[in-house]
Amino acid sequence: MSNKPANNIQDLQYFGEFGGVNPSISDSATYTFLHAKTMLDTFEGHAEGCYLYSRHTSPSNLYLSKALAAMEFTETANVAASGMGAITSVFLQVCGAGDHIVSARTIYGGSYAFLKNFAPKLNISTSFVDITSLEKVEAAIKPSTKMIYCEAISNPLLEIANLKELSKIAKKHNILLVVDNTFSPLLISPQKLGADVTIHSLTKFINGTNDTVGGVVCGTQQFIDSLRSVNDGAAMLLGPVMDSLRASSILKNLRTLHIRMKKHSENAHYLAEKFEQDGLKVVYPGLKSHKDHELFKTLYNEEYGFGGMMTVDVGNLEKANELMELMQHENLGYLAVSLGFYKTLFSAPGTSTSSEIPIEEQKQMGLSNGIIRFSIGLDNDIERTYRAMRRCMTKVGVL
Ligand SMILES: *Cc1c(COP(=O)(O)O)cnc(C)c1O
């Protein structure tokens, strides 16, 4: 297996229906069978290469799934209509009434809200723990625990999960390690570090164009088959299916992911170093001051760097808002949630993507309301960007 995950996409070969270099887009909700017997076999999951109905799977979705599985070194994958569609399917596939999840406390707001407010309606409970404390993670595991859930780089605090050690804990207790790798595609390969299931919101870096939402679950053939089972598969029965047209569009964007990730990382690293030198409170995994910088270096695929996400704490929400509005006015990016775009995106997580987390808990986890989360774009002249951002910071009195 290659050590350069992105190169795998170059290794895949596509011949469209008419010899096209892109696979033909499947434009059908249902599929014909020449023999009635094959239909029954397909229902029972035994007819390799046959399609049944597009909520189950479609040729376009399979092409994208295979490319993502190759990127994540898993046997296979299943794409979903959104990141949340992928995440909630996994929770509901693995857990039933009475089961328990040990989750990192700093996770995407939607995932947090699902575990905190929705899963209890199904009698699925969650312990939220500081994922950087392996002792606390292990101590939270009960006989009813089915999985450890975390993000490789957490949202929005950019904490690093020690996936190697977490996977040892999971194996010891015979439970799954499920990792949301949305912030770190290519930088981190959870499967290689011992994760059982790797999830992405494709909406962010992987698609990279902010024209759609999408998600994927990467795992073993057995796990993905169970998710897609016509009898009791969460992905099949809850129906968070991706449209074929979208799948083909995301597949085309995936092909440049390795180039984009390197540029996102290069630009973010440059700005993080500059702003830290200027005396700002910057969190970026590539900085020596990041508390898990050394750990990150034992986990990452070096050539992709430390990622495109960084945070700057400017003290309070008023300053954060003032600065973001000014930066948008100066065309340095957009005041918008989401990430992985060609333009820089910034938002104040306490009032946006993490607003589902109660204020008291935000404080506990160190989420100050002066934090601005940046997803650094693909700017060709990052020095010019730095100078312009610096002018904005001086103007609002942050520097
Ligand atoms: C955006 C995001 C999600 C949710 O994905 P959607 O595609 O918006 O449903 C999940 N996890 C992380 C880390 C995210 O950033």
Side-chain angles (χ1 to χ4, degrees), residues 153-239:
I153 301 182
S154 82
N155 178 37
L157 293 175
L158 311 184
E159 291 171 339
I160 309 303
N162 190 341
L163 299 182
K164 279 186 198 162
E165 293 304 318
L166 289 168
S167 90
K168 285 183 199 155
I169 296 174
K171 289 203 169 56
K172 181 170 148 200
H173 293 270
N174 202 18
I175 58 178
L176 298 179
L177 174 61
V178 177
V179 179
D180 177 341
N181 200 25
T182 300
F183 275 32
S184 40
L186 300 176
L187 324 180
I188 304 269
S189 305
Q191 167 75 21
K192 282 194 157 184
L193 301 169
D196 299 288
V197 178
T198 302
I199 306 179
H200 283 279
S201 164
L202 303 177
T203 316
K204 317 296 172 50
F205 288 106
I206 291 180
N207 187 48
T209 48
N210 261 303
D211 53 358
T212 184
V213 291
V216 69
V217 181
C218 306
T220 61
Q221 188 71 49
Q222 193 187 7
F223 184 71
I224 300 301
D225 283 349
S226 77
L227 265 184
R228 273 203 293 248
S229 160
V230 294
N231 294 314
D232 60 2
M236 178 68 183
L237 300 178
L238 299 173

Coordinates of all heavy atoms in Angstrom, one line a residue, residues 153-239:
I153 N -9.1 16.0 14.3 CA -8.8 17.3 14.7 C -10.1 17.9 15.1 O -11.0 17.9 14.3 CB -8.1 18.2 13.6 CG1 -6.9 17.6 13.1 CG2 -7.9 19.6 14.2 CD1 -6.2 18.4 12.0
S154 N -10.2 18.3 16.4 CA -11.6 18.6 16.8 C -12.0 20.0 16.4 O -11.3 20.9 16.2 CB -11.7 18.5 18.4 OG -11.2 19.7 19.0
N155 N -13.3 20.1 16.3 CA -14.0 21.4 16.0 C -14.6 22.0 17.2 O -15.4 21.3 17.9 CB -15.2 21.0 15.0 CG -16.0 22.2 14.6 OD1 -15.5 23.3 14.4 ND2 -17.3 22.0 14.5
P156 N -14.4 23.2 17.6 CA -13.5 24.2 16.9 C -12.1 24.3 17.5 O -11.4 25.2 17.1 CB -14.3 25.5 17.0 CG -14.9 25.3 18.4 CD -15.1 23.9 18.6
L157 N -11.9 23.6 18.6 CA -10.7 23.9 19.4 C -9.4 23.3 18.8 O -8.3 23.6 19.3 CB -10.9 23.4 20.8 CG -11.9 24.1 21.6 CD1 -12.2 23.5 23.0 CD2 -11.6 25.6 21.8
L158 N -9.5 22.5 17.8 CA -8.3 21.9 17.1 C -7.5 21.1 18.1 O -6.2 21.1 18.0 CB -7.5 23.0 16.4 CG -8.2 24.0 15.5 CD1 -7.3 25.0 14.8 CD2 -9.1 23.3 14.5
E159 N -8.2 20.3 18.9 CA -7.5 19.4 19.8 C -7.2 18.1 18.9 O -7.9 17.8 18.0 CB -8.4 18.9 20.9 CG -8.6 20.0 22.0 CD -9.6 19.6 23.0 OE1 -10.4 18.7 22.7 OE2 -9.6 20.2 24.1
I160 N -6.1 17.4 19.2 CA -5.7 16.3 18.4 C -6.1 15.0 19.2 O -5.7 14.8 20.4 CB -4.2 16.3 18.1 CG1 -3.8 17.6 17.6 CG2 -3.8 15.1 17.2 CD1 -4.5 18.1 16.3
A161 N -6.8 14.1 18.5 CA -7.1 12.8 19.2 C -6.0 11.8 18.9 O -5.5 11.7 17.8 CB -8.4 12.2 18.6
N162 N -5.5 11.2 20.0 CA -4.4 10.2 19.9 C -5.0 8.9 19.4 O -5.3 8.0 20.2 CB -3.7 10.1 21.2 CG -2.4 9.2 21.1 OD1 -2.3 8.5 20.1 ND2 -1.6 9.4 22.1
L163 N -5.2 8.8 18.1 CA -6.0 7.7 17.5 C -5.3 6.4 17.8 O -6.0 5.4 18.0 CB -6.2 7.9 16.0 CG -7.0 9.2 15.6 CD1 -7.2 9.2 14.1 CD2 -8.4 9.2 16.3
K164 N -3.9 6.4 17.8 CA -3.2 5.1 18.0 C -3.6 4.5 19.4 O -3.9 3.4 19.5 CB -1.7 5.3 18.0 CG -1.1 5.3 16.6 CD 0.4 5.4 16.7 CE 1.0 5.9 15.4 NZ 2.4 6.4 15.5
E165 N -3.6 5.4 20.4 CA -3.8 4.9 21.8 C -5.3 4.7 22.0 O -5.7 3.7 22.6 CB -3.3 6.0 22.8 CG -1.8 6.1 22.8 CD -1.1 4.7 23.1 OE1 -1.6 4.0 23.9 OE2 -0.1 4.5 22.4
L166 N -6.2 5.5 21.4 CA -7.6 5.4 21.5 C -8.0 4.0 20.9 O -8.9 3.3 21.4 CB -8.4 6.5 20.8 CG -8.3 7.8 21.6 CD1 -8.8 9.0 20.7 CD2 -9.1 7.8 22.9
S167 N -7.4 3.6 19.8 CA -7.7 2.4 19.1 C -7.3 1.2 20.0 O -8.0 0.2 20.1 CB -7.1 2.3 17.7 OG -5.9 1.7 17.8
K168 N -6.2 1.3 20.8 CA -5.9 0.3 21.7 C -6.9 0.1 22.8 O -7.3 -1.0 23.1 CB -4.5 0.6 22.3 CG -3.3 0.3 21.4 CD -2.0 0.6 22.1 CE -0.9 0.8 21.1 NZ 0.2 1.6 21.6
I169 N -7.4 1.2 23.3 CA -8.4 1.2 24.3 C -9.7 0.5 23.8 O -10.3 -0.3 24.4 CB -8.8 2.6 24.9 CG1 -7.5 3.2 25.6 CG2 -10.0 2.6 25.8 CD1 -7.7 4.6 26.0
A170 N -10.1 0.9 22.5 CA -11.3 0.4 21.9 C -11.1 -1.1 21.8 O -12.1 -1.9 22.1 CB -11.5 1.1 20.6
K171 N -10.0 -1.6 21.3 CA -9.8 -3.0 21.0 C -9.9 -3.8 22.3 O -10.5 -4.8 22.4 CB -8.5 -3.3 20.3 CG -8.6 -2.8 18.9 CD -7.6 -3.4 17.9 CE -8.0 -3.1 16.5 NZ -8.1 -1.6 16.2
K172 N -9.2 -3.2 23.4 CA -9.2 -3.9 24.7 C -10.6 -4.1 25.2 O -10.9 -5.1 25.8 CB -8.4 -3.0 25.6 CG -8.3 -3.5 27.0 CD -7.3 -2.7 27.8 CE -7.6 -2.6 29.3 NZ -7.0 -1.5 30.0
H173 N -11.5 -3.2 24.9 CA -12.9 -3.3 25.4 C -13.8 -3.8 24.4 O -15.1 -3.8 24.6 CB -13.4 -1.9 26.0 CG -12.6 -1.5 27.2 ND1 -13.0 -1.8 28.4 CD2 -11.5 -0.8 27.3 CE1 -12.2 -1.3 29.3 NE2 -11.2 -0.7 28.6
N174 N -13.3 -4.2 23.2 CA -14.1 -4.8 22.2 C -15.2 -3.9 21.7 O -16.3 -4.3 21.5 CB -14.7 -6.1 22.7 CG -15.0 -7.0 21.5 OD1 -14.6 -6.9 20.4 ND2 -15.9 -8.0 21.8
I175 N -14.8 -2.6 21.5 CA -15.8 -1.6 21.0 C -15.2 -0.9 19.8 O -14.0 -1.1 19.5 CB -16.2 -0.6 22.1 CG1 -15.0 0.2 22.6 CG2 -17.0 -1.2 23.2 CD1 -15.3 1.3 23.6
L176 N -16.0 -0.2 19.1 CA -15.5 0.5 17.8 C -14.9 1.8 18.1 O -15.3 2.6 19.0 CB -16.6 0.7 16.9 CG -17.4 -0.6 16.3 CD1 -18.5 -0.1 15.4 CD2 -16.4 -1.5 15.6
L177 N -13.9 2.2 17.3 CA -13.4 3.6 17.3 C -13.9 4.2 16.0 O -13.5 3.8 14.9 CB -11.8 3.6 17.4 CG -11.2 5.0 17.2 CD1 -11.7 5.9 18.3 CD2 -9.7 4.9 17.2
V178 N -14.7 5.2 16.2 CA -15.3 5.9 15.0 C -14.8 7.3 15.0 O -14.9 8.0 15.9 CB -16.9 5.9 15.1 CG1 -17.5 6.6 14.0 CG2 -17.4 4.4 15.2
V179 N -14.2 7.7 13.8 CA -13.5 8.9 13.7 C -14.1 9.8 12.6 O -14.2 9.4 11.5 CB -12.0 8.7 13.4 CG1 -11.3 10.1 13.3 CG2 -11.4 7.9 14.6
D180 N -14.5 11.0 13.0 CA -14.9 12.0 12.0 C -13.6 12.7 11.5 O -13.0 13.4 12.3 CB -15.9 13.0 12.6 CG -16.3 14.1 11.7 OD1 -15.6 14.4 10.7 OD2 -17.4 14.7 12.0
N181 N -13.3 12.6 10.2 CA -12.0 13.1 9.7 C -12.2 14.3 8.8 O -11.3 14.6 8.0 CB -11.3 11.9 8.9 CG -9.8 12.1 8.8 OD1 -9.2 12.8 9.6 ND2 -9.2 11.6 7.7
T182 N -13.3 15.0 9.0 CA -13.7 16.1 8.1 C -12.6 17.2 8.1 O -12.4 17.8 7.0 CB -15.0 16.7 8.6 OG1 -16.0 15.7 8.6 CG2 -15.4 17.9 7.7
F183 N -12.0 17.5 9.2 CA -11.0 18.6 9.2 C -9.6 18.2 8.6 O -8.8 19.1 8.3 CB -10.7 19.1 10.7 CG -11.7 20.1 11.2 CD1 -13.0 20.1 10.8 CD2 -11.3 21.1 12.1 CE1 -13.9 21.0 11.2 CE2 -12.2 22.0 12.6 CZ -13.5 22.0 12.1
S184 N -9.4 16.9 8.5 CA -8.1 16.4 8.1 C -8.0 15.4 7.0 O -7.3 14.4 7.2 CB -7.4 16.0 9.4 OG -8.3 15.2 10.2
P185 N -8.7 15.5 5.9 CA -8.6 14.5 4.9 C -7.2 14.5 4.3 O -6.6 15.6 4.2 CB -9.6 15.0 3.8 CG -9.8 16.5 4.0 CD -9.6 16.7 5.5
L186 N -6.6 13.4 4.1 CA -5.3 13.1 3.6 C -4.2 13.4 4.7 O -3.2 12.7 4.7 CB -4.9 13.9 2.4 CG -5.8 13.7 1.1 CD1 -5.4 14.6 0.0 CD2 -5.6 12.2 0.7
L187 N -4.4 14.4 5.6 CA -3.4 14.6 6.6 C -3.3 13.5 7.5 O -2.3 13.1 8.0 CB -3.7 15.9 7.5 CG -4.4 17.1 6.9 CD1 -4.5 18.1 8.1 CD2 -3.5 17.7 5.8
I188 N -4.5 13.0 7.9 CA -4.6 11.9 8.9 C -5.4 10.7 8.2 O -6.4 11.0 7.5 CB -5.4 12.3 10.1 CG1 -4.8 13.6 10.8 CG2 -5.6 11.2 11.1 CD1 -3.8 13.3 11.8
S189 N -4.8 9.6 8.3 CA -5.5 8.4 7.8 C -5.9 7.5 9.0 O -5.2 6.6 9.4 CB -4.6 7.6 6.9 OG -4.1 8.4 5.9
P190 N -7.1 7.8 9.6 CA -7.5 7.1 10.8 C -7.4 5.6 10.8 O -7.0 4.9 11.7 CB -9.0 7.6 11.0 CG -9.1 8.9 10.3 CD -8.1 8.7 9.1
Q191 N -7.8 5.0 9.6 CA -7.8 3.5 9.5 C -6.4 3.0 9.7 O -6.2 2.0 10.4 CB -8.3 3.2 8.1 CG -8.0 1.8 7.6 CD -9.0 0.8 8.3 OE1 -10.1 1.2 8.7 NE2 -8.7 -0.5 8.3
K192 N -5.4 3.7 9.2 CA -4.0 3.2 9.4 C -3.6 3.4 10.9 O -2.6 2.7 11.3 CB -3.0 4.1 8.6 CG -3.0 3.7 7.1 CD -1.9 4.3 6.4 CE -1.5 3.6 5.2 NZ -0.3 4.1 4.6
L193 N -4.3 4.2 11.6 CA -3.9 4.4 13.0 C -4.8 3.6 13.9 O -4.7 3.7 15.2 CB -4.0 5.9 13.4 CG -3.2 6.8 12.5 CD1 -3.5 8.3 12.7 CD2 -1.7 6.6 12.8
G194 N -5.6 2.7 13.4 CA -6.4 1.8 14.2 C -7.9 2.1 14.3 O -8.6 1.3 15.0
A195 N -8.4 3.1 13.6 CA -9.8 3.4 13.6 C -10.6 2.2 12.9 O -10.1 1.6 12.0 CB -10.2 4.7 13.0
D196 N -11.8 2.0 13.3 CA -12.7 1.0 12.7 C -13.5 1.6 11.6 O -13.8 1.0 10.6 CB -13.6 0.3 13.7 CG -12.7 -0.4 14.8 OD1 -12.2 -1.4 14.5 OD2 -12.6 0.1 15.9
V197 N -14.0 2.8 11.9 CA -14.9 3.5 10.9 C -14.4 4.9 10.8 O -14.1 5.6 11.8 CB -16.3 3.5 11.4 CG1 -17.2 4.2 10.4 CG2 -16.8 2.0 11.6
T198 N -14.3 5.4 9.5 CA -13.9 6.8 9.3 C -15.0 7.5 8.5 O -15.5 7.0 7.5 CB -12.6 6.9 8.4 OG1 -11.6 6.2 9.1 CG2 -12.1 8.3 8.2
I199 N -15.4 8.7 9.1 CA -16.5 9.4 8.5 C -16.0 10.8 8.0 O -15.1 11.3 8.6 CB -17.6 9.6 9.5 CG1 -18.1 8.3 10.1 CG2 -18.8 10.4 8.9 CD1 -19.1 8.4 11.2
H200 N -16.6 11.3 6.9 CA -16.4 12.6 6.5 C -17.7 13.4 6.2 O -18.6 12.8 5.6 CB -15.6 12.7 5.1 CG -14.1 12.4 5.3 ND1 -13.2 13.3 5.6 CD2 -13.4 11.2 5.0 CE1 -12.0 12.7 5.6 NE2 -12.1 11.5 5.3
S201 N -17.7 14.7 6.4 CA -18.6 15.5 5.7 C -17.9 15.9 4.5 O -16.9 16.6 4.5 CB -18.9 16.8 6.6 OG -19.5 17.7 5.7
L202 N -18.4 15.5 3.3 CA -17.8 15.8 2.0 C -18.0 17.3 1.7 O -17.4 17.8 0.8 CB -18.4 14.9 0.9 CG -18.3 13.4 1.1 CD1 -19.0 12.7 0.0 CD2 -16.9 13.0 1.2
T203 N -18.9 17.9 2.4 CA -19.3 19.3 2.2 C -18.1 20.3 2.3 O -18.1 21.3 1.7 CB -20.3 19.7 3.3 OG1 -21.3 18.7 3.4 CG2 -21.0 21.0 2.9
K204 N -17.1 19.9 3.0 CA -16.0 20.7 3.4 C -14.8 20.6 2.4 O -15.0 20.8 1.2 CB -15.6 20.5 4.9 CG -16.8 20.3 5.8 CD -17.7 21.6 5.9 CE -19.0 21.4 6.7 NZ -18.9 20.7 8.0
F205 N -13.7 20.2 2.9 CA -12.5 20.2 2.0 C -12.7 19.2 0.8 O -12.2 19.5 -0.3 CB -11.2 19.7 2.8 CG -10.7 20.7 3.8 CD1 -10.9 20.5 5.2 CD2 -10.0 21.8 3.4 CE1 -10.5 21.5 6.1 CE2 -9.5 22.8 4.3 CZ -9.7 22.6 5.6
I206 N -13.3 18.1 1.0 CA -13.2 17.1 0.0 C -13.9 17.6 -1.3 O -13.4 17.5 -2.4 CB -13.8 15.7 0.5 CG1 -12.8 15.1 1.5 CG2 -14.1 14.8 -0.7 CD1 -13.3 13.8 2.1
N207 N -15.1 18.1 -1.1 CA -15.8 18.7 -2.3 C -15.1 20.1 -2.6 O -14.7 20.3 -3.8 CB -17.3 18.8 -2.1 CG -18.0 19.2 -3.4 OD1 -17.7 18.7 -4.5 ND2 -18.8 20.3 -3.3
G208 N -15.0 20.9 -1.6 CA -14.2 22.1 -1.7 C -14.8 23.2 -2.5 O -14.2 24.3 -2.6
T209 N -16.0 23.1 -3.0 CA -16.6 24.2 -3.8 C -17.9 24.7 -3.2 O -18.5 25.6 -3.8 CB -16.9 23.7 -5.2 OG1 -17.6 22.5 -5.2 CG2 -15.6 23.5 -6.0
N210 N -18.3 24.2 -2.0 CA -19.5 24.8 -1.3 C -20.7 24.8 -2.2 O -21.5 25.8 -2.0 CB -19.1 26.1 -0.7 CG -18.8 26.0 0.8 OD1 -19.6 25.5 1.5 ND2 -17.6 26.4 1.2
D211 N -20.9 23.9 -3.1 CA -22.1 23.8 -3.9 C -23.0 22.7 -3.4 O -24.1 22.6 -4.0 CB -21.8 23.7 -5.4 CG -20.9 22.6 -5.7 OD1 -20.4 21.8 -4.7 OD2 -20.6 22.4 -6.9
T212 N -22.6 21.9 -2.5 CA -23.5 20.8 -2.0 C -23.1 20.3 -0.6 O -22.0 20.6 -0.2 CB -23.5 19.6 -3.0 OG1 -24.4 18.6 -2.6 CG2 -22.1 19.0 -3.0
V213 N -24.0 19.7 0.0 CA -23.6 18.9 1.2 C -23.5 17.4 0.8 O -24.0 17.0 -0.2 CB -24.7 19.0 2.4 CG1 -24.7 20.4 3.0 CG2 -26.1 18.6 1.9
G214 N -22.7 16.7 1.6 CA -22.5 15.3 1.3 C -21.7 14.7 2.4 O -21.1 15.4 3.3
G215 N -21.8 13.3 2.5 CA -21.1 12.6 3.6 C -20.6 11.3 3.1 O -21.0 10.8 2.0
V216 N -19.8 10.6 3.9 CA -19.3 9.3 3.6 C -19.0 8.5 4.9 O -18.5 9.1 5.8 CB -18.1 9.2 2.6 CG1 -16.8 9.8 3.3 CG2 -17.9 7.8 2.1
V217 N -19.2 7.2 4.9 CA -18.8 6.3 5.9 C -17.8 5.3 5.2 O -18.2 4.7 4.3 CB -20.0 5.5 6.5 CG1 -19.4 4.6 7.6 CG2 -21.0 6.4 7.0
C218 N -16.6 5.2 5.7 CA -15.6 4.3 5.2 C -15.3 3.2 6.2 O -15.1 3.5 7.4 CB -14.3 5.0 4.9 SG -14.4 6.5 3.8
G219 N -15.4 2.0 5.8 CA -15.1 0.9 6.8 C -15.0 -0.4 6.1 O -14.7 -0.5 4.9
T220 N -15.2 -1.5 6.9 CA -15.0 -2.8 6.3 C -16.3 -3.1 5.4 O -17.3 -2.5 5.6 CB -15.0 -3.9 7.4 OG1 -16.2 -3.8 8.2 CG2 -13.8 -3.7 8.4
Q221 N -16.1 -4.1 4.5 CA -17.2 -4.5 3.7 C -18.4 -5.0 4.5 O -19.5 -4.6 4.3 CB -16.7 -5.7 2.8 CG -17.7 -6.1 1.7 CD -17.8 -5.1 0.6 OE1 -16.9 -4.6 0.1 NE2 -19.1 -4.7 0.3
Q222 N -18.0 -5.7 5.6 CA -19.1 -6.2 6.5 C -19.9 -5.0 7.1 O -21.1 -5.1 7.2 CB -18.5 -7.1 7.6 CG -19.5 -7.9 8.3 CD -18.8 -8.6 9.5 OE1 -17.7 -8.4 9.9 NE2 -19.6 -9.4 10.2
F223 N -19.2 -4.0 7.6 CA -19.9 -2.9 8.3 C -20.7 -2.1 7.2 O -21.9 -1.8 7.5 CB -18.9 -2.0 9.0 CG -19.6 -0.9 9.7 CD1 -20.3 -1.2 10.9 CD2 -19.6 0.4 9.3 CE1 -21.0 -0.2 11.6 CE2 -20.2 1.4 9.9 CZ -20.9 1.1 11.1
I224 N -20.2 -1.9 6.1 CA -20.9 -1.1 5.1 C -22.1 -1.9 4.5 O -23.2 -1.4 4.3 CB -19.9 -0.7 3.9 CG1 -18.8 0.2 4.4 CG2 -20.7 0.0 2.8 CD1 -19.2 1.5 5.1
D225 N -21.9 -3.2 4.4 CA -23.1 -4.1 4.0 C -24.2 -4.0 5.0 O -25.4 -3.9 4.7 CB -22.6 -5.5 3.9 CG -21.9 -5.8 2.5 OD1 -21.9 -4.9 1.7 OD2 -21.3 -6.9 2.4
S226 N -23.8 -3.9 6.3 CA -24.8 -3.9 7.4 C -25.5 -2.5 7.3 O -26.8 -2.5 7.4 CB -24.2 -4.1 8.7 OG -23.5 -3.0 9.2
L227 N -24.8 -1.4 7.0 CA -25.4 -0.1 6.9 C -26.4 -0.1 5.7 O -27.4 0.6 5.8 CB -24.4 0.9 6.6 CG -23.7 1.8 7.6 CD1 -22.8 2.8 7.0 CD2 -24.7 2.5 8.5
R228 N -26.1 -0.9 4.7 CA -27.0 -0.8 3.5 C -28.0 -1.9 3.4 O -28.7 -2.0 2.4 CB -26.0 -1.0 2.2 CG -25.5 0.3 1.7 CD -25.0 0.2 0.3 NE -23.9 -0.7 0.1 CZ -22.7 -0.3 -0.3 NH1 -22.5 0.9 -0.6 NH2 -21.8 -1.2 -0.6
S229 N -28.0 -2.8 4.4 CA -28.9 -3.9 4.4 C -30.4 -3.5 4.2 O -30.8 -2.6 4.9 CB -28.8 -4.7 5.7 OG -29.9 -5.5 5.9
V230 N -31.1 -4.2 3.3 CA -32.5 -3.8 3.1 C -33.4 -4.2 4.3 O -34.4 -3.6 4.4 CB -33.1 -4.5 1.8 CG1 -32.4 -4.0 0.5 CG2 -33.0 -6.1 1.9
N231 N -32.9 -5.0 5.1 CA -33.7 -5.5 6.3 C -33.5 -4.6 7.5 O -34.4 -4.2 8.2 CB -33.4 -6.9 6.7 CG -33.8 -7.9 5.6 OD1 -34.9 -7.7 5.1 ND2 -33.0 -8.8 5.2
D232 N -32.2 -4.2 7.8 CA -32.0 -3.4 9.0 C -30.8 -2.5 8.9 O -30.2 -2.2 9.9 CB -31.8 -4.4 10.2 CG -30.6 -5.3 10.1 OD1 -29.9 -5.2 9.0 OD2 -30.4 -6.2 11.0
G233 N -30.6 -2.0 7.7 CA -29.5 -1.0 7.5 C -29.9 0.4 7.7 O -30.9 0.9 7.1
A234 N -29.3 1.2 8.6 CA -29.7 2.6 8.8 C -29.6 3.4 7.6 O -30.5 4.2 7.3 CB -28.8 3.2 9.9
A235 N -28.5 3.2 6.8 CA -28.4 4.1 5.6 C -29.5 3.8 4.6 O -30.0 4.7 3.9 CB -27.0 3.8 4.9
M236 N -29.9 2.5 4.5 CA -31.0 2.1 3.6 C -32.4 2.5 4.1 O -33.2 3.1 3.4 CB -30.9 0.6 3.4 CG -32.0 0.0 2.5 SD -31.8 0.5 0.8 CE -33.2 -0.3 0.1
L237 N -32.6 2.4 5.4 CA -33.9 2.5 5.9 C -34.2 4.0 6.3 O -35.4 4.4 6.3 CB -34.2 1.6 7.1 CG -34.0 0.1 6.7 CD1 -34.2 -0.8 8.0 CD2 -35.0 -0.3 5.6
L238 N -33.2 4.7 6.8 CA -33.5 6.1 7.1 C -33.4 7.0 5.8 O -33.9 8.1 5.8 CB -32.4 6.6 8.1 CG -32.5 5.9 9.5 CD1 -31.3 6.4 10.3 CD2 -33.8 6.1 10.2
G239 N -32.7 6.5 4.8 CA -32.8 7.1 3.5 C -32.0 8.4 3.2 O -32.3 9.2 2.4

